């Protein structure tokens, strides 16, 4: 049940808003309107998002609503950065602009997710692995997060991995997915390292948990934004 939020016209730093085709995860190929929020609580080594606030623009819920209307948005992808750093803004936006909301998140801010979960249709939760990001693993936070995310209509876990993934990491990811009966989408880190065979890692996951798929980032080789 959507809690009605009056329009206080909150503001958030947003880097860009654009229509494109989703290139990753379970809804690959779907037309979405991407709202890229500025700022993140992590610093992954492979991150292709600038953390420089200067390149973003502070806009209000009212202004964003107008832009989403102009873009005929049906599915709104809340991405970043980490969009949940702007949970108050998202709560107000979802109450004032009707659409299907798709949240792309690093799966570490459970308290913020709790604030907005009732208005999110799809949670695409990344588990960020130390072997790929250089950041410490956050399995405890991921577990807490998944326990709330499973209440969304659609929930899946995405894992970007490379040849350095460890058995312990695989074990922890499978444990979280199993506990919440959710799909794992494995996404190889691009470009692929020489001699790296993602299929071998897929097979390791699959042996432990059959609810696993291997899907690369399609927008990169289709030249889509
Ligand atoms: S969580 Fe995402 S936005 Fe944040 S540093 Fe990692 S890749 Fe970049």
């Amino acid at each position: 049940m959507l809690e009605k939020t009056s329009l206080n016209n909150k503001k958030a730093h947003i880097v860009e808003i654009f229509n494109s085709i989703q290139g990753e995860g379970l809804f690959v190929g779907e037309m979405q309107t991407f709202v890229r929020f500025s700022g993140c609580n992590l610093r992954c080594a492979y991150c292709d998002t600038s953390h420089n606030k200067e390149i973003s623009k502070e806009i209000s819920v009212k202004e964003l609503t107008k832009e989403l209307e102009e873009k005929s948005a049906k599915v709104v992808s809340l991405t970043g950065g980490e969009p949940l750093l702007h949970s108050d803004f998202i709560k107000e936006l979802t109450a004032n602009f009707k659409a299907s909301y798709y949240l792309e998140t690093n799966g570490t801010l459970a308290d913020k997710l709790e604030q907005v979960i009732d208005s999110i249709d799809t949670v695409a939760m990344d588990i960020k692995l130390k072997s790929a990001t250089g950041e410490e693993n956050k399995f405890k936070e991921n577990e807490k997060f998944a326990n709330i995310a499973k209440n969304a209509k659609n929930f899946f876990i995405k894992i970007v991995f490379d040849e350095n993934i460890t058995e312990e990491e695989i074990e922890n990811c499978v444990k979280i997915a199993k506990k919440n009966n959710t799909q794992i989408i494995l996404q190889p880190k691009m470009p692929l390292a020489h001699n790296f065979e993602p299929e071998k890692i897929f097979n390791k996951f699959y042996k432990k948990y059959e609810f696993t798929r291997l899907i690369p980032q399609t927008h990169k080789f289709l030249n889509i934004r």
Side-chain angles (χ1 to χ4, degrees), residues 89-202:
F89 181 92
I90 290 172
K91 195 170 169 61
E92 195 174 309
L93 173 69
T94 54
N96 287 284
F97 183 77
K98 292 278 165 275
S100 175
Y101 284 91
Y102 179 106
L103 175 70
E104 302 193 287
T105 169
N106 63 32
T108 57
L109 303 173
D111 295 349
K112 302 271 188 190
L113 178 65
E114 202 149 27
Q115 269 183 270
V116 299
I117 189 67
D118 287 352
S119 48
I120 300 295
D121 297 273
T122 301
V123 179
M125 168 194 168
D126 276 24
I127 293 185
K128 300 290 186 185
L129 300 178
K130 183 180 181 187
S131 58
T133 65
E135 285 266 309
E136 286 305 316
N137 284 320
K138 298 193 165 43
F139 298 126
K140 282 261 174 308
E141 287 92 329
N142 298 149
E143 216 172 320
K144 198 171 161 201
F145 192 95
N147 195 39
I148 299 167
K150 70 179 177 198
N151 296 311
K153 192 158 79 187
N154 308 298
F155 167 46
F156 66 92
I157 290 173
K158 181 162 68 72
I159 301 164
V160 176
F161 69 99
D162 62 17
E163 66 282 11
N164 298 314
I165 189 168
T166 66
E167 295 297 331
E168 194 197 340
E169 287 176 333
I170 295 173
E171 200 55 58
N172 275 291
C173 292
V174 167
K175 193 178 125 202
I176 294 170
K178 259 190 190 165
K179 200 170 165 191
N180 296 288
N181 193 29
T182 192
Q183 178 123 227
I184 291 178
I185 307 289
L186 292 175
Q187 184 177 294
K189 190 161 111 181
M190 302 295 272
L192 291 186
H194 185 59
N195 283 341
F196 174 45
E197 296 171 81
E199 193 188 350
K200 284 194 176 158
I201 304 297
F202 171 81

Side-chain angles (χ1 to χ4, degrees), residues 40 42-44 46-47 49 51 80-81 106 128:
C40 188
L42 302 183
R43 287 291 179 270
C44 305
Y46 58 73
C47 184
T49 308
H51 295 287
N106 63 32
K128 300 290 186 185

Side-chain angles (χ1 to χ4, degrees), residues 59-109:
I59 74 168
S60 67
V61 168
K62 208 169 163 186
E63 287 165 320
L64 179 55
T65 298
K66 189 165 174 275
E67 188 136 2
L68 291 174
E69 277 165 2
E70 281 167 11
K71 289 189 159 39
S72 305
K74 307 246 172 345
V75 181
V76 177
S77 176
L78 305 166
T79 187
E82 173 48 58
L84 286 175
L85 291 176
H86 309 272
S87 52
D88 289 345
F89 181 92
I90 290 172
K91 195 170 169 61
E92 195 174 309
L93 173 69
T94 54
N96 287 284
F97 183 77
K98 292 278 165 275
S100 175
Y101 284 91
Y102 179 106
L103 175 70
E104 302 193 287
T105 169
N106 63 32
T108 57
L109 303 173

